[in-house]
């Protein structure tokens, strides 16, 4: 493995700098086929619990919202004169057509679960940082599903972030709760679980034997129990289209024979794309977190994570523009959870995101799509909790209780 590709200290997947082939070769075809196959596997499996809506059902059509939440990134490495080199797609392709807020404030807890929960509820959340407690006020998913009477297949979270749990999809509010929650999936955990289970039960004595590893991953295709990953699958493999099964098996073979690590965010992107193509949900939240390699202390890996998030955000917008189910009727919003601590701080600067500093609290947000009247830069300060009530209005949900306020620049 290239020395520049290594896992971070928080247990996240390895991130490889641009130009480093994740499978140790000059071509990325093996990696892409594996990731696409993994996405098909999970999307197909989720079909057992989230069937596609019929065209005549409530919520089967209508305006769609895609929210991309990035991990902690500072303005210095993104929308600053020095940082633009790391975000060519966000700054060069998306910014000119976007509604851009250069000052978006996180005034809550700068920990992953609380930060994302605050964005999704419109209220600052102060629950367990590691997702052991659900948000205390209704999420956008619950408000949307209950207000618009839509099925679970229309609301999804696809996440790389290890600090999230299935509880991010619904609150503990008695009037809402899991009955109105979202599908929450963590793609990389599926693949990690297959190998970990093989080691734990002793079914393979030598993990260097790629034939045995391949067999274990193929066995994951047959397994019906994925408890602990945020969701369960029952007899999912039997419900897969034979052509999908063949794609998955070929992808697994290519992955194992190629070898090497891959980016968690890239797997999340492929999973997201398959969910969009299979279910076309009206509300989709994607959480990228390769940038959290910063916790390992590697600035190079952190910058590689920023480049990954930049590229994948651009690819996601391209999917929206080319997918008939999304083209012309979708709003996409991109924002970081928070910034990172300033250089010279007692918390080791970019390593963490705990300091009460502007570089930690103030980020940015951009929106693209059909509810944007015209591209513009809005200089006033907004708050992360403003997004939920704004998107509720975009989705036609009225009367939500939130600390945040609707953003007037969004058409609804």
């Amino acid at each position: 493995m290239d020395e520049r590709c290594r896992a971070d200290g928080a247990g996240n997947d390895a991130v490889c700098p641009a130009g480093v082939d994740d499978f140790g070769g000059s071509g990325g075809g093996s990696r892409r086929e594996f990731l696409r196959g993994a996405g098909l596997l999970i999307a197909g499996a989720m079909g057992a619990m989230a069937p596609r809506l019929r065209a005549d059902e409530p919520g089967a059509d209508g305006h769609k919202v895609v929210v991309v939440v990035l991990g902690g990134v500072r303005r210095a490495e993104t929308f600053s004169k020095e940082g633009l080199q790391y975000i060519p797609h966000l700054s060069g392709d998306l910014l000119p057509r976007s509604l851009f807020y250069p000052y978006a404030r996180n005034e809550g807890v700068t920990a992953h679960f609380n930060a994302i929960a605050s964005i999704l509820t419109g209220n600052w959340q102060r629950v367990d940082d590691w997702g052991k407690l659900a948000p205390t006020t209704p999420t956008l998913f619950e408000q949307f599903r209950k207000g618009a009477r839509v099925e679970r297949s229309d609301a999804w979270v696809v996440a790389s972030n290890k600090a999230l749990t299935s509880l991010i999809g619904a609150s503990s509010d008695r009037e809402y709760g899991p009955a109105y929650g979202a599908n929450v999936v963590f793609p990389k955990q599926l693949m990690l679980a297959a190998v970990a289970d093989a080691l734990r039960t002793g079914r393979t004595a030598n993990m260097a034997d790629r034939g045995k590893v391949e067999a274990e991953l193929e066995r994951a295709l047959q397994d019906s129990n994925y408890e602990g990953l945020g969701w369960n699958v029952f007899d999912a493999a039997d419900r897969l289209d034979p052509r999908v099964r063949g794609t998955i098996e070929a992808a697994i073979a290519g992955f194992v024979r190629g070898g090497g690590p891959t980016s968690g965010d890239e797997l999340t992107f492929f999973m997201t794309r398959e969910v969009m193509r299979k279910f076309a949900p009206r509300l989709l939240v994607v959480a990228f977190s390769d940038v959290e390699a910063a916790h390992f202390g590697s600035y190079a890996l952190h910058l590689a994570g920023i480049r990954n998030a930049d590229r994948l955000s651009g690819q996601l917008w391209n999917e929206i523009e080319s997918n008939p189910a999304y083209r012309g009727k979708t709003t996409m919003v991109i924002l970081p959870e928070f910034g990172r601590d300033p250089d010279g701080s007692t918390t080791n600067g970019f390593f963490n995101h705990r300091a009460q500093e502007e570089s930690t609290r103030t980020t940015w947000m951009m929106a693209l799509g059909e509810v944007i009247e015209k591209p513009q830069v809005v200089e006033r300060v907004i708050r992360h909790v403003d997004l939920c009530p704004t998107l509720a209005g975009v989705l036609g949900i009225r009367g939500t209780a939130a600390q945040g306020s609707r953003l007037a620049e969004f058409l609804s």
Side-chain angles (χ1 to χ4, degrees):
M1 180 174 67
D2 191 292
E3 280 299 310
R4 290 168 291 171
C5 304
R6 61 177 71 247
D8 68 78
N12 294 318
D13 284 353
V15 182
C16 294
V20 179
D21 181 66
D22 289 333
F23 284 133
S26 58
S30 176
R31 176 186 65 180
R32 288 192 295 270
E33 285 304 308
F34 163 68
L35 292 173
R36 183 172 183 275
L40 284 167
L41 166 62
I42 306 170
M46 287 300 295
M49 60 184 291
R52 180 192 291 273
L53 291 176
R54 299 193 312 271
D56 59 347
E57 287 184 307
D61 201 1
H63 195 88
K64 299 180 187 294
V65 168
V66 177
V67 180
V68 179
V69 183
L70 311 182
V73 295
R74 298 184 296 195
R75 187 183 307 277
E77 285 82 20
T78 54
F79 284 100
S80 72
K81 181 179 179 180
E82 297 76 16
L84 294 179
Q85 61 182 309
Y86 307 122
I87 54 166
H89 300 286
L90 287 169
S91 63
D93 302 333
L94 302 186
L95 180 63
R97 65 180 73 183
S98 77
L99 171 62
F100 185 66
Y101 297 90
Y103 307 107
R105 290 273 300 174
N106 180 331
E107 296 173 351
V109 179
T110 56
H112 299 290
F113 190 91
N114 276 292
I116 294 179
S118 297
I119 291 169
L120 295 180
T121 62
N123 293 283
W124 301 117
Q125 299 294 319
R126 290 174 171 83
V127 294
D128 180 77
D129 286 346
W130 296 96
K132 296 178 181 178
L133 298 171
T136 58
T137 56
T139 63
L140 182 60
F141 308 114
E142 297 161 89
Q143 297 173 37
F144 174 53
R145 288 195 55 211
K146 186 174 184 178
R149 298 184 296 113
V150 299
E151 298 297 322
R152 187 179 297 271
S153 56
D154 243 337
W156 291 73
V157 179
V158 186
S160 303
N161 198 317
K162 189 177 180 181
L164 300 186
T165 69
S166 60
L167 295 181
I168 199 68
S171 71
S172 58
D173 189 298
R174 292 183 179 180
E175 299 297 319
Y176 291 87
Y180 298 102
N183 288 307
V184 182
V185 293
F186 306 104
K188 63 184 180 181
Q189 288 191 6
L190 176 66
M191 309 315 298
L192 293 172
V195 176
D197 187 56
L199 288 169
R200 183 172 56 252
T201 58
R203 288 195 306 275
T204 175
N206 182 7
M207 291 302 287
D209 184 334
R210 292 195 174 276
K212 292 181 179 180
V213 177
E214 182 174 353
E216 289 301 327
L217 291 176
E218 288 177 346
R219 178 183 172 278
L221 188 62
Q222 309 296 331
D223 202 339
S224 62
N225 179 16
Y226 293 109
E227 294 181 2
L229 304 184
W231 45 278
N232 298 326
V233 177
F234 301 99
D235 302 322
D238 294 337
R239 305 187 187 193
L240 292 177
D241 185 293
R243 293 168 297 178
V244 174
R245 177 186 291 277
T247 300
I248 295 167
E249 290 173 345
I252 288 172
F255 165 67
V256 173
R257 292 165 187 166
T262 190
S263 160
D265 283 353
E266 194 136 7
L267 179 55
T268 290
F269 167 76
F270 274 83
M271 171 62 199
T272 298
R273 193 177 68 177
E274 295 305 325
V275 166
M276 293 172 71
R277 293 177 178 181
K278 185 175 182 65
F279 302 107
R282 286 184 60 192
L283 177 56
L284 172 64
V285 174
V286 185
F288 291 138
S289 63
D290 280 353
V291 298
E292 294 306 318
H295 287 303
F296 186 68
S298 171
Y299 191 63
L301 291 187
H302 176 58
L303 294 181
I306 293 174
R307 292 189 183 99
N308 282 351
D310 171 71
R311 174 175 53 82
L312 295 173
S313 296
Q315 289 180 218
L316 193 53
W317 178 249
N318 290 341
E319 174 66 22
I320 289 171
E321 292 275 78
S322 62
N323 186 328
Y326 286 85
R327 185 174 57 243
K329 55 181 177 181
T330 301
T331 296
M332 176 171 162
V333 178
I334 308 169
L335 75 164
E337 300 171 46
F338 31 66
R340 304 198 82 82
D341 295 352
D343 291 337
S345 68
T346 58
T347 54
N348 292 323
F350 78 94
F351 285 44
N352 294 308
H353 36 78
R354 300 198 300 267
Q356 301 297 319
E357 302 280 354
E358 281 299 304
S359 70
T360 309
R361 293 287 184 186
T362 302
T363 61
W364 47 265
M365 186 178 84
M366 70 165 54
L368 304 107
E370 298 310 301
V371 300
I372 307 308
E373 183 176 16
K374 62 180 180 179
Q376 60 178 309
V377 177
V378 179
E379 295 284 345
R380 78 174 186 280
V381 176
I382 65 168
R383 300 173 299 166
H384 284 186
V385 291
D386 295 335
L387 182 58
C388 178
T390 300
L391 294 180
V394 169
L395 292 168
I397 307 304
R398 307 297 174 184
T400 60
Q403 291 173 299
S405 303
R406 291 186 181 179
L407 300 171
E409 293 79 14
F410 281 67
L411 303 176
S412 58

